[in-house]
Amino acid sequence: MMASGIPELYGSLVFNDSVMRDKLPKDVYQALRKTIENHTHLELDVANSVAVAMKEWAVENGATHFTHWFQPMTGFTAEKHDSFISPVGGGQVVMDFSGKELVKGEPDASSFPSGGLRATFEARGYTAWDPTSPAFIKDRTLYIPTAFCSYSGEALDKKTPLLRSMETLDREAVKILHLLGQRDVEGVSATIGPEQEYFLVDKEIYKQRKDLIFTGRTLLGAMPPKGQEMEDHYFGALKPRVSAFMHDLDEALWKLGIPAKTKHNEVAPAQHELAPVFDTANVAVDHNQLTMEMMKKVADKHGLTCLLHEKPFEGINGSGKHNNWSLITNTGVNLLNPGRTPAANIQFLVFLMAVIKAVDEYADLMRISVASAGNDHRLGANEAPPAIVSIFLGDELTAVLDSIENDTFFGKQQKVQMETGATVLPHFFKDNTDRNRTSPFAFTGNKFEFRMPGSSLSVAGPNIVLNTAVAEALRQFYEELKDIPESRMEEAVHALVKRAIAKHRRIIFNGNGYTDEWVREAKKRGLYNLRSTPEALACFTSQKNLELFTRHHIFTEQEIVSRYEILLENYCKTIHIEAQTMQDMVRSQFLPALRCYIDQITGSIRGIKAVSEALPSAASEKLLAALCDSYERICDAEEHLEADTKNAEGIDDMQEAAFFYRGTLIPGMEALRAMADAVERYLPENLLPYPSYEKLLFSV
Ligand code: ADP
Ligand code: MG
């Protein structure tokens, strides 16, 4: 691919705005734009006309099929393909696609998780076209982004509540902007830039590990002599195979109109990151789902396997997904841009304060939105933020808020010139604040970066919570300010921020989030510390959370309960599969290998003795004793785990089961692993029945 061809390549498989303008009759194009921008309802004749143009374009670009593409509660995407062909008699077909087929699909919903929302006999589910996310072509199929709901209209997916939350936020933000005198603003969108971390391992090596195949992470495996301690992988030069993969991935993503921008090696060996340019929340979520899929696909072509699990390897960093979030008006203003004088920027202060209030009041929901069995291994493990949600604001903004709270004058900080000590280097100004990598929710100049999501998560969840909680904060601010005359607005906002900062100051923490002192301090401040998924999920259905979601029509109470059950069930199933896989590997792979080694040493000692009783064999006997002892203990631990797994299966109450998995099975697995890993260091390489960490991490 010639670099000069990239602008033409970019978005070439997307039914984007310029294609629409080109292909659609003018009035249809305008009607569609109105729907996209103002969320107005789309008439069927418009849909019919769009369908014709879409099909023509898709067929011209090689597509034979179309699919409604949706995001059920599995966390993955789903699709069912139909061809465009339509028989016209005489053994002939035409390529056909109607407005009805574009706007509505009817996949059988009974095999998707619904958390009891829908009995299996009520199988009907609908997919509805989401015109705000562009259709695209992949593998000769036209993909139409859709929302997925049940016969009675309950959301069965992640897109529907995300769209609802974006509309609520839009409405509340516009209301308050009008109050603040910004009457030209007609719409506000949440923007997201999700940075995606991942691992690449050799495919042939991957295929020899049952744990990776069944669970996405290694359940056994001793660290090699070298891990990430030399800090030589982060931003390191790309190896040729990785570089070739990244080039292909970029091209595949660009064709789909996904603005892949930044790529680099991450901290752990074999770990990498990709960041796109941000987009509106809905499009960014769709793009992130596609990015994860393309990562796997392109990796496969390169003889690699892409691991998106939050913690594929013990002893080195796991992978996260940083959710960069901001608000943009239809007039192009970033509402979280402090400008040159944040202290005087009341619009910025209102929105900043709304985010702080939202995160403080719904910190439990923020935590819940990233809760999964995989992510529990990361949070609080000195590689990712702790499970305690707090906000990093940086020195300047903290000083601004302090001055408001204490009625002191905020002297504007001078920009500081960067001192490199070398005159040949260009001169530039420093940022007003350094970065803080340990904060779960950090202000980074003109946006917030939520760093808790795990790498495999759909970012729909965190953004549903964030959008809704901020909308609620803005709603309350609006209620406080709505009767204030414009001449006194600045003073009133000042007073409001002053009250709010006093109330929510506890959520702000600029220090090191990885320390034990912070855990103690957070407890004193009354912040949540929901360390595991079952603990976190228990808060999901609290009164305040039900009220938030139902007030803004994001979820009905039933929808919340159903999601709570899906999450719990998913957690239990994940650990159940892990426990079973581990038992299988220990029983049929690890223990036989250990047995084999024990036999070899036994034979060797016998051989030595046969030559002469006088020859020394103490070291071999000592090793043999240690191995035999380990063998017994590993057998015991494995049996224990087996029994606990049976017990877990017998627990009917899902919450009780989740706590049992958390409190009994996970420690059981950890203990078993510790014993096996300790022995693995002694096993001869040729006896280890699956590839070692060394091979997994250092062979690409
Ligand atoms: P870092 O690694 O320093 O956090 P990156 O440049 O890798 O920074 O990623 C920053 C991410 O934030 C990018 O995806 C970028 O597009 C996104 N971003 C920048 N501005 C905004 C914004 N206004 N809203 C949402 N995301 C943004
Ligand atoms: Mg980042």
Side-chain angles (χ1 to χ4, degrees), residues 429-446:
F429 289 111
K430 284 208 267 198
D431 289 308
N432 282 345
T433 186
D434 197 4
R435 287 156 176 269
N436 178 327
R437 290 272 171 205
T438 66
S439 175
F441 197 84
F443 186 74
T444 51
N446 59 3

Side-chain angles (χ1 to χ4, degrees), residues 195 322 324 437 449:
E195 299 163 54
H322 293 173
N324 294 276
R437 290 272 171 205
E449 182 172 359

Side-chain angles (χ1 to χ4, degrees), residues 8-85:
E8 285 72 49
L9 175 100
Y10 187 83
S12 56
L13 297 177
V14 184
F15 192 70
N16 55 23
D17 190 64
S18 74
V19 179
M20 286 194 266
R21 200 169 339 166
D22 219 38
K23 299 257 173 200
L24 293 172
K26 207 163 173 193
D27 53 328
V28 174
Y29 172 75
Q30 271 158 359
L32 184 58
R33 286 268 21 127
K34 233 175 100 192
T35 298
I36 295 171
E37 279 158 24
N38 308 342
H39 314 298
T40 53
H41 189 70
L42 191 89
E43 300 300 334
L44 189 62
D45 58 331
V46 175
N48 274 326
S49 187
V50 175
V52 170
M54 225 186 231
K55 180 211 66 188
E56 263 177 33
W57 168 82
V59 171
E60 271 167 31
N61 284 283
T64 54
H65 288 69
F66 70 94
T67 181
H68 275 201
W69 184 64
F70 56 104
Q71 299 172 27
M73 293 303 295
T74 54
F76 301 104
T77 57
E79 51 194 71
K80 180 186 111 199
H81 297 208
D82 280 300
S83 73
F84 288 124
I85 65 161

Side-chain angles (χ1 to χ4, degrees), residues 199 222-234 239 266-271 313-317 681 693-694 696-698:
F199 278 87
M223 264 312 277
K226 178 177 188 276
Q228 65 190 37
E229 58 277 69
M230 297 298 283
E231 299 173 336
D232 52 355
H233 195 254
Y234 190 58
K239 293 197 184 134
E266 257 302 327
V267 170
Q271 192 185 31
F313 304 101
E314 185 100 0
I316 56 173
N317 280 7
R681 295 198 173 85
Y693 262 35
E694 193 175 316
L696 282 167
L697 292 171
F698 294 99

Side-chain angles (χ1 to χ4, degrees), residues 491-503:
E491 193 188 325
V493 167
H494 204 84
L496 176 141
V497 170
K498 188 175 161 164
R499 283 194 302 276
I501 188 65
K503 193 161 163 210

Side-chain angles (χ1 to χ4, degrees), residues 178-296:
H178 285 182
L179 200 60
L180 297 178
Q182 304 295 325
R183 279 178 234 293
D184 53 334
V185 175
E186 285 168 5
V188 170
S189 303
T191 50
I192 307 178
E195 299 163 54
Q196 178 73 50
E197 290 180 342
Y198 60 98
F199 278 87
L200 288 177
V201 298
D202 184 274
K203 184 161 82 178
E204 291 311 312
I205 295 175
Y206 163 89
K207 280 199 219 151
Q208 297 168 48
R209 297 243 3 173
K210 291 191 194 192
D211 46 7
L212 285 181
I213 292 172
F214 294 132
T215 74
R217 74 179 183 107
T218 54
L219 301 169
L220 297 165
M223 264 312 277
K226 178 177 188 276
Q228 65 190 37
E229 58 277 69
M230 297 298 283
E231 299 173 336
D232 52 355
H233 195 254
Y234 190 58
F235 283 17
L238 301 176
K239 293 197 184 134
R241 236 174 126 190
V242 172
S243 175
F245 158 84
M246 286 179 171
H247 275 297
D248 269 8
L249 177 63
D250 278 342
E251 252 186 59
L253 295 176
W254 291 339
K255 280 188 201 161
L256 291 169
I258 299 174
K261 174 88 174 161
T262 310
K263 54 187 183 185
H264 59 81
N265 285 350
E266 257 302 327
V267 170
Q271 192 185 31
H272 314 281
E273 181 182 299
L274 180 148
V277 177
F278 67 93
D279 215 321
T280 48
N282 180 33
V283 172
V285 168
D286 285 0
H287 280 174
N288 182 249
Q289 292 295 120
L290 265 176
T291 299
M292 292 194 284
E293 187 186 321
M294 295 314 280
M295 280 179 165
K296 297 204 154 177

Side-chain angles (χ1 to χ4, degrees), residues 168-183 185 188 351 471 474-476 478-479 482:
T168 295
L169 181 57
D170 178 17
R171 204 169 36 243
E172 297 300 336
V174 168
K175 255 169 49 187
I176 208 143
L177 282 169
H178 285 182
L179 200 60
L180 297 178
Q182 304 295 325
R183 279 178 234 293
V185 175
V188 170
F351 281 90
L474 290 172
R475 186 191 70 80
Q476 291 185 23
Y478 178 84
E479 289 303 315
K482 68 173 192 253

